[in-house]
Amino acid sequence: MNAIEVKNLTKKYTDFCLDNIELSLPTGSILGLVGENGAGKSTIINLIMNAIMRDSGQISVLGIDNQSKEFNNVKNDIGIVLDEAYFPEVITPKNVNVIMKNTYQNWDEKLYYNYINKFSLPPKAFKDFSKGMKMKLAIAVALSHNPKLLILDEATSGLDPMVRDEILDIFNEFTRDETHSVILSSHIVSDLEKICDYIAFVHKGKLVFCEEKDKLIEEYAIVKMSNSDFEAIPPKAIKGMKKSKFGVEALVLKSAVSNAIATEHTTLEDIILFLAKEGNN
Amino acid sequence: MKALLLKDSYTIARQMKIFLILILFLACYGSSMSGFAIIYASMLPITALAYDERSKWNTLAAMMPYSQTSIVMSKYVLGYISIGIAAIISCLAQIAISLYKHTNFEVEGILAIVAVICIALLLLAFTLPFMFRFGVEKGRIAFFTLIAATGLGSMVFGKRLAALFEFEVANTAFIGIILVVITIIINIVSIIVSEKIYKIN
């Protein structure tokens, strides 16, 4: 079963259009949603949570249509962390516990305070927290009602590398239970490369691909050669390129180029940068 | 909704303390002054909305298991509770004062409080849809415009309207019932309108 299934999703604004998005998150895995700022990642997450109305398409979350009445109940099984924690500035972690105890049916107070202690969060007002502490509080809330699905929208952006690493480890640990799934949006590709099983790349409101990460890295390769040698590469194999007076660097489909041509291992960042550049042309 | 009311009570706790001191202070000056405290109570949901706006709480709330109805209703209920507390404290303070001063307790004072409660509830009902539609900044302008217009309107047309309907002292109870019924109807309509506005937003 898929934890999230999105079909033909479209949302139009006056200056932006999310066009015919199709993606799925298999249960037990981590899907990374990557794209430049303004690509439509947060819009997709808002649409998945039915926080904004879609124009067309279908979305089911944990097997339930997100526009059905039952979806509000499904939200008890979803942990959410947004780019900011968005708690009122005067409330303390203790207040948050009381509020969430009355919000989530499965709220686990003991687990919450375990996270509060683990993250060393002080018993002071939210406004006095650092950005890292605020995000840790949001993560503690997201994990303390035993969710089956974690939805993270730019949850690691704006954090220093050490805190980011610590947080990514927590998400990784969460998916050790095979009934747990995570969708994580970020423009920091290295974060996604570290923990994701699947990658969906959104560019200017369009889904460029939604594929298994390992398959992607296996599928693509980098070639670096002179302009004249490059002519031997079949055009259908070329997925993106950078030309300079010294030669050509290109992203190619491994299966479409001859074994005689020397290729280099590619990274997710390379794939995304080349495809985004190609999409801009 | 309990969670949302708890959240609001934490965010406006400081205002609540000022509010309680204000009620007690104004109640000492008699029923006409305690009316201001009841009107002030109707503004507390706006303060709570302002805090929500500042922290962008609604972005998070939309992702949590709160229904849109409970998000909207929580602000009305907060207003009703605040107005209720202000009214009870005002009544108790006036009873205490009349006992202390050995003066007769005036039933008219209580009736005046009922009238002020209705006005506070009407202000809440007229203001909240504006707040949900335009946000707190513009909503506040609407609120004060409404107070000014109500005050000006009652000064200009109050006597004429009274003359038109030939209100007499004997009709006080009848007028009171009409006022309560109108208040309830307008609040129900206001809740329906606010819910629709919130869904569109």
Side-chain angles (χ1 to χ4, degrees), chain A:
Chain A
M1 189 184 115
N2 288 327
I4 297 176
E5 241 178 71
V6 176
K7 284 180 186 164
N8 308 109
L9 177 66
T10 301
K11 174 76 183 173
K12 285 185 181 124
Y13 292 103
T14 46
D15 53 348
F16 174 76
C17 175
L18 195 69
D19 194 15
N20 209 24
I21 301 292
E22 205 137 327
L23 55 88
S24 56
L25 164 64
T27 302
S29 48
I30 305 182
L31 169 70
L33 207 53
V34 65
E36 72 281 7
N37 291 327
K41 305 185 295 290
S42 296
T43 309
I44 292 175
I45 283 178
N46 276 303
L47 287 162
I48 287 172
M49 290 306 287
N50 201 30
I52 50 174
M53 295 287 281
R54 60 188 181 240
D55 292 336
S56 62
Q58 280 178 314
I59 301 172
S60 76
V61 183
L62 299 173
I64 302 288
D65 183 325
N66 77 341
Q67 286 190 340
S68 68
K69 278 188 179 170
E70 297 86 59
F71 185 63
N72 219 33
N73 207 24
V74 172
K75 285 180 176 177
N76 280 297
D77 292 326
I78 304 172
I80 190 102
V81 184
L82 303 176
D83 56 339
E84 300 269 342
Y86 299 131
F87 290 121
E89 55 185 25
V90 292
I91 65 168
T92 62
K94 198 176 160 190
N95 297 152
V96 170
N97 174 52
V98 179
I99 296 165
M100 295 306 153
K101 210 193 305 188
N102 289 283
T103 299
Y104 289 105
Q105 286 165 5
N106 315 323
W107 183 252
D108 186 339
E109 192 171 344
K110 203 177 153 196
L111 183 62
Y112 172 73
Y113 279 113
N114 279 345
Y115 279 117
I116 295 296
N117 292 332
K118 186 179 174 181
F119 295 151
S120 309
L121 295 176
K124 49 185 188 179
F126 185 68
K127 64 176 179 211
D128 299 323
F129 278 21
S130 66
K131 166 100 183 175
M133 284 165 147
K134 285 179 180 175
M135 293 315 289
K136 283 176 179 174
L137 180 62
I139 290 162
V141 170
L143 293 170
S144 299
H145 54 95
N146 299 307
K148 290 177 185 149
L149 169 66
L150 268 186
I151 296 188
L152 313 159
D153 187 12
E154 300 283 0
T156 54
S157 59
L159 298 175
D160 65 68
M162 276 180 299
V163 176
R164 257 173 42 212
D165 213 52
E166 194 184 341
I167 286 172
L168 290 177
D169 281 345
I170 293 163
F171 298 153
N172 232 340
E173 206 175 301
F174 175 79
T175 47
R176 280 195 191 157
D177 183 329
E178 57 189 27
T179 61
H180 288 175
S181 320
V182 179
I183 181 166
L184 163 72
S185 96
S186 182
H187 59 269
I188 307 168
V189 182
S190 58
D191 282 358
L192 300 180
E193 191 154 17
K194 227 178 261 178
I195 65 163
C196 291
D197 305 305
Y198 294 85
I199 300 289
F201 174 37
V202 188
H203 182 57
K204 292 182 175 174
K206 285 188 166 59
L207 184 74
V208 181
F209 60 73
C210 179
E211 288 230 37
E212 225 174 298
K213 182 185 73 185
D214 294 341
K215 203 175 151 198
L216 268 173
I217 292 169
E218 190 61 32
E219 228 168 46
Y220 291 98
I222 296 284
V223 290
K224 288 175 184 168
M225 51 183 57
S226 66
N227 287 324
S228 56
D229 288 348
F230 189 67
E231 280 168 18
I233 306 275
K236 65 172 185 176
I238 304 163
K239 293 296 164 190
M241 62 173 166
K242 279 191 281 190
K243 272 189 175 178
S244 70
K245 59 182 177 182
F246 304 110
V248 181
E249 188 182 344
L251 179 77
V252 293
L253 270 179
K254 247 190 214 173
S255 58
V257 291
S258 152
N259 288 338
I261 293 168
T263 58
E264 286 178 22
H265 174 77
T266 185
T267 61
L268 188 61
E269 190 141 4
D270 286 334
I271 297 171
I272 283 157
L273 287 174
F274 273 107
L275 291 180
K277 195 167 173 261
E278 199 61 20
N280 286 337
N281 294 335

Side-chain angles (χ1 to χ4, degrees), chain B residues 15-54:
Chain B
Q15 279 72 18
M16 289 287 258
K17 282 176 200 158
I18 299 167
F19 165 62
L20 287 172
I21 294 164
L22 187 77
I23 302 170
L24 287 170
F25 179 74
L26 291 174
C28 298
Y29 287 89
S31 61
S32 58
M33 289 305 282
S34 64
F36 282 110
I38 298 169
I39 299 288
Y40 178 82
S42 71
M43 291 174 70
L44 286 175
I46 302 163
T47 310
L49 269 170
Y51 276 108
D52 284 356
E53 254 180 45
R54 196 152 78 183

